[in-house]
Amino acid sequence: MNFNDLSKFVFKKYGLKFFPAVPGSTELYLLKSPVDGSYFAMMSRIRQGDHFIATLDLRCGSFSDMIRDLPGFSTPFRLKISDWVGVWLNQVHRDAIENAFDYAFRLAMNGEEDKAIDRQPFIYVPGEAADEKYQAQAIKSRDKTLAKRHEQDVPAAIQKMRASYDYSILPAKGKAKNFYHQAQLMKNYQDNYQNPVVFKRYYPAFHDMTVPQLRTYFTWRQKIRSGEYEKTSTSYAFVYVFELLNNVGIDDPAEGFKQLRIFQKNYVQKFDLELESYLKQWLKDYVLYYHLPQKNQLVFADELKQDLQYHILLHPEDYSAHELLAAVKHFSTYLDKNVTAKKMGPQFEQVFKEIWQVVLQAKLKNGQDFFSKYIAQRHLLVENLFAGAVFYWRNHDFEPLVVDSERKYFYQNQEWYCSSLFPIKRQKSELNAFLHETDRLLREKMHFGQKLKPRKLEKEFLQAIADGIAEYQKQVEKAKRPHIKINFANLDQIRADASETRDSLLTDEEKQLEKEESQQPVLPKKSETLKTENNYGLTKDEMHLLMGLLNNEDWQSYIKQHHLMVSILADGINDKLFDEIGDAVIDFDENNQPEIIEDYLPDLKEIF
């Protein structure tokens, strides 16, 4: 039931209208008693995450204590007064809300509780005015013979179960406890009732059933346990689920979870889809209550899928550009037919990842970051476990359950809490606005496509987009530069092959001349100050070339006289000085002449 439904009901039945507590406000509405003008009902909205839940506060007097613990009822939201009760409109059936409202109205009209209800602990709904021509008549006493015969037809186990009901506990608190104890008494009971009857009841329990209904249920339950599934009243199916949720007749919670899943597959999904939404939520609650983390993948599949997308957006460095873009598309439709994305292809994924990483680090002046502003925010919400079920809480010591990196459940101060990411209001349109600005700046900075009109986006995030594009462009330029990779592993073999080739090209006369020269030491010129000793394993020939280049002296004559190949000598020098300098020190200019790389000239002069 929502605000509109409740307002229509109140006006149609009582002729009353809610009015805003503050003119023009849509947050709180009040309802006055026609008798004394006092308030007896309030409608309001309670925020949970990114949405609001409709609530109702009712003044029900001392009856509030009796219904406050029923599923969907609670302490009042707006007034901390004992004779008021709160109602979650989306969790309580329409009939229960109307009955509670009717009681509050009668109390407001009569002013005394004994005029609002009768002696029975149920809400009294008065009928139309009595016709004066009818007179009260005494009800005939029941035939004792028939009563005795009826008791004889009731199986002993059912008689014992019905007699075990504890009336000393208020229904609000005792219904679940009584149901649990009665279910334990009947956990192994079997029946073979041949005259099945229907059963319709909200929040059904054994105490709500007649004997024929009880016998119908236990006969049907026996067939279910034997694997024979047949359609029955939805209320019977609810009772069976309640038994499994309470682990009646089950020693191991894992087995209880299995039985719930079997019933979901073989009965609920085939015969009674009305139960499906309830059972899906109760399975999650079952995993939390009985701490079955190994079942997370089964019951939290939707949450895990959603949380993964959030995790990718928060940690793009751990995922590929394609995975990041897919996560963004999960929350937005802007890129589905975007011209820029299609035109750039894989390049768009790369530049978008750079932009996203920069934007994630950006913050507004108030400290709010991009993710919490445009995607999702972390909230801590109360979880009402087994809402709508008849469930007896027997445990109050629970372990936290970590579903994934973004979702955690824990129990504290007698409440279950969920810490998770919840989407911001208008998440899709806000994210689309960001993607539009990204598209606009990409076209502007990379000079292609038609210009787009700007949309509203904070300047800090606009600057982050521009910075991301600039960083991507730097990386593209860097990638265009040629990368020379020298493999020094084969230099020795290259030198040997080159030396052998040189020898094969010499004439006999040149070989003889080289032999004679090798026998006579070459005396350096007086002007020569070459050093041949070193700690780097450089040969005499390599040192002549290196020192000649360092001192701008003639090295060509020596090379020619000794029939040496400059490229081989340069490779040797580069190889042996690589560990010291970290790079090649000799390069060749456009005329293929060796020269010392200018950046390393000071270091080499200091060394040699």
Side-chain angles (χ1 to χ4, degrees), residues 287-306:
V287 169
L288 293 174
Y289 184 87
Y290 294 105
H291 194 70
L292 301 173
Q294 64 274 20
K295 306 299 182 182
N296 286 351
Q297 295 288 339
L298 295 176
V299 299
F300 291 106
D302 294 339
E303 289 82 354
L304 287 168
K305 182 179 179 181
Q306 181 88 338

Side-chain angles (χ1 to χ4, degrees), residues 63-89:
F63 193 60
S64 299
D65 293 334
M66 301 181 65
I67 64 175
R68 185 169 292 126
D69 293 327
L70 288 175
F73 289 82
S74 71
T75 56
F77 302 101
R78 296 288 180 175
L79 299 174
K80 302 303 180 182
I81 303 176
S82 61
D83 61 347
W84 284 68
V85 65
V87 185
W88 296 97
L89 291 180

Side-chain angles (χ1 to χ4, degrees), residues 28 45 89 121 164 182 226 283 389 403 502 526 538 548 590:
L28 178 63
R45 291 182 173 91
L89 291 180
S164 69
Q182 287 185 319
S226 302
L283 281 168
V403 177
R502 182 184 66 87
K526 292 182 180 181
L538 295 174
E590 57 186 9

Side-chain angles (χ1 to χ4, degrees), residues 152 224 262 286 293 307 326 385 388 465 505 509 525 530 572:
Q152 291 176 348
I224 293 295
I262 291 174
Y286 190 95
D307 291 346
L385 264 62
I465 296 174
L505 296 176
E509 183 180 350
K525 299 179 181 178
L530 298 178

